[in-house]
Amino acid sequence: MNTDYMVRIQAVLDFIEENIDQEMNLEMLAETSNFSKYHFSRVFSAIINQPPMTYLTERRLHHAVTYLKTTNKTMLDISSLCGFSSISSFNSSFRKLFKTTPSGMRRSMLEHSNKQLMSGNNQEELSPSTNYYMGINTNNNFLRRVWDMNIEVKELPSYQVAFVRHVGSYLETYKAWGTLSKWVEKNTFPPTEYFIGISLDDPSVTDEYSCRYDACITIPKEFSIESDTSIEFKTLPGGLYALYKFYDTIDKFAIAYQCVYGQWLPNSDYEPDDRHALEFCMNDPYTDPEGKVKVDLYIPIKSIAGL
């Protein structure tokens, strides 16, 4: 793995441990990593196998367990020392992870000897991992194919596009495509225009029904833009992109994203740039003989400084 990625992600893990009692948010962690907020969450999730805020919460809770075992501090004090905004959020998060309350765990600890408590994997779980690269299950044949992915680095021009924005589950983006298709039918477009999807949020860190998605079609330069309340227009910036040609069932598309960010990028001489990934839709999965989707996935990149 590229040492630059290792240093930047480790800096985030160290920052979390050193500031566990402080308020932290995704923007702060992204700034520590020197990745943009959008790309940071994808890189972190792909490498650590957890979204950054989930990892942060679990580290807070493991610190809380240490306080429960080694001190007589009150639950209120412990929740504050571990960075929780309230005792109720502390109790709720604790119960969700450990299936018991903080006071219940403390009582359980008192019933066992220290040797029994610290045996097994408990001690390891309380310590931050310095070997943060978790990898992904290699038993999946699709993942093995993706790991051997043939990535092509390409320069794309800027595109003028008409688009419809969908806010909600990414499983319902067909609604935006339906609206866009009706508009396209009213206009005459050459067959050379592209249909492009843009996932504006990372569903691992954004609520499912708050995710934004743009269904786009490129428009000719001479196209006359007219007022239409259902359609918006914008320019997609050009630049350097890493292209992965995806052709498989749609349920594996998220894994392709994960592998590009977690496998290919950290082992390349590139890092993600502050532009959104572009999903060029190359077929209609409803007419595909195998029901597969063909997507040219373009990840925006730039050369790592100093390389």
Side-chain angles (χ1 to χ4, degrees):
M1 180 178 292
N2 190 300
T3 55
D4 181 74
Y5 276 71
M6 295 173 64
V7 169
R8 290 159 77 171
I9 295 299
Q10 189 62 52
V12 176
L13 304 187
D14 293 342
F15 179 82
I16 288 173
E17 296 303 316
E18 293 165 6
N19 298 277
I20 202 69
D21 61 332
Q22 301 297 313
E23 180 180 351
M24 284 180 265
N25 56 38
L26 190 61
E27 288 80 2
M28 293 172 63
L29 300 183
E31 184 177 353
T32 301
S33 73
N34 202 28
F35 288 119
S36 69
K37 173 184 172 182
Y38 173 79
H39 294 298
F40 163 69
S41 64
R42 289 189 179 277
V43 171
F44 188 98
S45 298
I47 292 175
I48 303 297
N49 276 355
Q50 278 187 311
M53 300 311 289
T54 300
Y55 175 88
L56 170 61
T57 299
E58 291 197 4
R59 290 307 307 149
R60 292 191 193 280
L61 292 171
H62 286 307
H63 277 266
V65 170
T66 300
Y67 282 119
L68 288 171
K69 171 181 168 49
T70 61
T71 75
N72 292 318
K73 294 183 183 295
T74 67
M75 300 305 164
L76 181 61
D77 287 341
I78 292 175
S79 68
S80 178
L81 287 168
C82 295
F84 287 93
S85 58
S86 67
I87 187 68
S88 60
S89 65
F90 170 53
N91 286 331
S92 176
S93 298
F94 198 97
R95 181 186 289 275
K96 183 176 180 181
L97 181 63
F98 296 117
K99 312 305 179 187
T100 186
T101 62
S103 57
M105 179 172 283
R106 174 171 273 175
R107 286 195 299 270
S108 177
M109 288 174 173
L110 293 175
E111 295 172 357
H112 298 81
S113 68
N114 286 339
K115 285 186 178 181
Q116 289 175 316
L117 175 67
M118 301 309 293
S119 66
N121 295 325
N122 288 337
Q123 179 63 42
E124 292 181 6
E125 291 177 352
L126 300 183
S127 302
S129 172
T130 54
N131 181 20
Y132 59 80
Y133 177 64
M134 308 294 288
I136 305 174
N137 184 0
T138 56
N139 293 326
N140 189 305
N141 289 330
F142 174 74
L143 290 181
R144 290 176 179 171
R145 297 203 308 272
V146 175
W147 286 354
D148 294 329
M149 60 179 58
N150 182 19
I151 298 289
E152 181 182 354
V153 175
K154 293 190 64 175
E155 187 86 23
L156 287 184
S158 60
Y159 292 103
Q160 285 289 119
V161 299
F163 72 98
V164 174
R165 175 158 296 177
H166 167 78
V167 180
S169 171
Y170 282 156
L171 298 176
E172 299 177 344
T173 57
Y174 64 87
K175 297 177 181 178
W177 286 113
T179 301
L180 183 66
S181 296
K182 291 178 181 178
W183 180 80
V184 170
E185 290 175 0
K186 299 177 183 178
N187 297 273
T188 303
F189 286 94
T192 53
E193 298 305 322
Y194 296 108
F195 288 94
I196 304 172
I198 306 176
S199 301
L200 297 166
D201 295 293
D202 181 354
S204 69
V205 298
T206 303
D207 179 77
E208 178 184 2
Y209 293 99
S210 298
C211 289
R212 299 163 300 153
Y213 177 90
D214 288 347
C216 312
I217 184 173
T218 57
I219 56 178
K221 292 182 179 180
E222 65 276 7
F223 183 80
S224 177
I225 297 177
E226 298 179 357
S227 176
D228 189 320
T229 57
S230 65
I231 302 295
E232 298 180 80
F233 300 88
K234 64 179 175 179
T235 301
L236 304 182
L240 202 63
Y241 288 82
L243 165 63
Y244 171 58
K245 293 182 177 291
F246 175 87
Y247 180 60
D248 215 305
T249 53
I250 190 61
D251 59 302
K252 296 185 176 70
F253 191 50
I255 303 174
Y257 254 107
Q258 185 181 19
C259 288
V260 174
Y261 277 94
Q263 298 289 325
W264 183 81
L265 266 175
N267 291 288
S268 73
D269 294 331
Y270 301 96
E271 62 179 304
D273 194 20
D274 292 339
R275 291 166 283 144
H276 289 291
L278 306 178
E279 304 163 10
F280 280 64
C281 307
M282 308 304 290
N283 78 333
D284 180 355
Y286 294 105
T287 61
D288 185 85
E290 300 180 61
K292 295 181 178 180
V293 294
K294 184 180 292 185
V295 177
D296 283 359
L297 175 60
Y298 286 88
I299 303 295
I301 57 174
K302 60 183 178 181
S303 296
I304 295 176
L307 293 182

